Amino acid sequence: MQRLINLFIDSRAVVLKTIPFSDTSLICRIFTKEKGKISIMAKGAKRKKNLLSSVLECGNIIRLQYMFKENRDIQLLKEASLDYNIILIRKDLEKLLTLFSIIEILDKTTHPLNEAPILFRLINSTIKTLAVKKLNSKILYNFYLLHLAIQNGFKPNITNCSKCNTLFRDKIVLINGQLYCQSCDNFNSKLIHENSLSFIKKLMYTNINKINDLNVNDINLNSISFFLEDYIRYHIEGMNYVKSTSLLHKLSK
Ligand SMILES: [Zn+2]
């Protein structure tokens, strides 16, 4: 008989979703550095005077200790505290809706117990950057979408047409998750402009700490978001079920 593994784990995580369980407890879905997405039970967290319920709010970056049992769907939380203060995000509606979108996208596009330390690093640094004052959250949102696609193995080919291999210039179309030049498009698909594509290229090679310095004059950041969301929807299962993004787009109009 195989021995089941029980581990006491001290980790950092991002809270994806929290739901009440019984009169006093909470069940949270979190994304951890070591184990990827897991569910934890916080017993007694809903009791008055227990600060855990505010620690376990969606979008928080937390430090936690929990018992990990391999055969259990829900792990038992021992302790949790805030690892990073994101109060600035919660005071700003656009930042808050951006936070909910990036959190929900990660939640819907990942499977439980799929170790992905790079995705953890991406969500962790995205949230921390979002908390920076005067940060353009639209640039950051696009950065996140692009790097999420790349980390899942779907780096978009933004230099050549996927059909005829011609170098892109002027306008480009997205068909079935591939980028085509305008002459290869028989469907009159949605076009994206070359300057949006060069901006995506910049996002590919710019450090997250420097994205706010990028020049966004004449760049339609909303259309880039729509493009990247469409792109991910085609390649990554689960993106279709994301709802928060529609609220974010309503605000951006
Ligand atoms: Zn072509």
Side-chain angles (χ1 to χ4, degrees):
M1 208 173 83
Q2 213 184 1
R3 257 191 91 219
L4 290 169
I5 298 173
N6 292 349
L7 289 171
F8 180 77
I9 298 181
D10 185 331
S11 180
R12 287 193 303 136
V14 170
V15 180
L16 302 175
K17 193 173 178 131
T18 297
I19 51 167
F21 177 77
S22 77
D23 287 340
T24 55
S25 302
L26 295 171
I27 292 178
C28 308
R29 207 149 58 236
I30 58 175
F31 200 88
T32 66
K33 201 174 170 188
E34 291 80 11
K35 299 279 177 196
K37 187 164 76 175
I38 61 165
S39 292
I40 52 163
M41 161 96 73
K43 285 187 174 163
K46 268 175 71 193
R47 286 204 185 96
K48 274 183 187 167
K49 290 183 187 167
N50 192 329
L51 295 172
L52 258 187
S53 58
S54 64
V55 170
L56 297 174
E57 266 182 64
C58 170
N60 279 349
I61 302 174
I62 60 171
R63 176 81 187 260
L64 78 161
Q65 288 86 39
Y66 64 99
M67 280 306 296
F68 180 81
K69 285 193 181 178
E70 218 173 12
N71 61 338
R72 216 159 43 186
D73 289 334
I74 300 176
Q75 310 299 334
L76 196 62
L77 179 73
K78 293 288 178 197
E79 267 183 74
S81 56
L82 280 181
D83 189 59
Y84 194 79
N85 192 336
I86 58 164
I87 190 85
L88 241 149
I89 299 178
R90 299 205 185 276
K91 284 180 176 170
D92 178 317
L93 185 60
E94 189 180 5
K95 280 177 188 273
L96 189 63
L97 293 178
T98 306
L99 176 71
F100 289 158
S101 295
I102 63 169
I103 290 286
E104 195 192 352
I105 290 170
L106 186 73
D107 191 13
K108 300 271 165 75
T109 58
T110 49
H111 296 287
L113 288 174
N114 212 340
E115 284 171 45
I118 296 178
L119 280 183
F120 177 80
R121 217 161 61 203
L122 175 65
I123 189 90
N124 183 53
S125 58
T126 303
I127 294 173
K128 286 180 176 173
T129 308
L130 190 60
V132 171
K133 243 184 190 172
K134 289 186 180 166
L135 186 276
N136 183 332
S137 52
K138 281 180 191 163
I139 303 180
L140 181 66
Y141 180 59
N142 285 332
F143 176 93
Y144 172 77
L145 292 173
L146 176 66
H147 287 272
L148 185 87
I150 294 174
Q151 294 311 332
N152 276 283
F154 301 104
K155 184 176 176 178
N157 174 0
I158 52 172
T159 47
N160 307 70
C161 171
S162 293
K163 198 171 179 186
C164 71
N165 214 30
T166 318
L167 276 177
F168 287 137
R169 49 178 178 270
D170 200 17
K171 289 165 186 165
I172 292 100
V173 291
L174 179 70
I175 304 168
N176 294 338
Q178 304 292 334
L179 284 167
Y180 289 174
C181 72
Q182 216 177 347
S183 29
C184 285
D185 172 32
N186 306 317
F187 309 97
N188 294 316
S189 317
K190 240 192 315 188
L191 297 165
I192 84 155
H193 288 265
E194 207 278 331
N195 65 346
S196 296
L197 219 54
S198 346
F199 190 77
I200 292 175
K201 201 174 197 172
K202 281 183 195 158
L203 284 179
M204 231 178 234
Y205 301 107
T206 304
N207 185 288
I208 193 165
N209 300 317
K210 301 265 187 263
I211 54 171
N212 220 31
D213 303 335
L214 292 173
N215 183 358
V216 289
N217 292 336
D218 304 323
I219 302 290
N220 186 338
L221 292 169
N222 289 334
S223 80
I224 295 179
S225 300
F226 283 121
F227 165 78
L228 289 170
E229 284 172 7
D230 278 351
Y231 180 81
I232 294 177
R233 213 168 277 131
Y234 185 82
H235 291 286
I236 309 175
E237 202 198 326
M239 186 66 181
N240 273 318
Y241 304 109
V242 174
K243 295 186 189 114
S244 316
T245 49
S246 65
L247 267 177
L248 179 65
H249 294 314
K250 264 183 200 151
L251 187 82
S252 308
K253 267 179 194 166

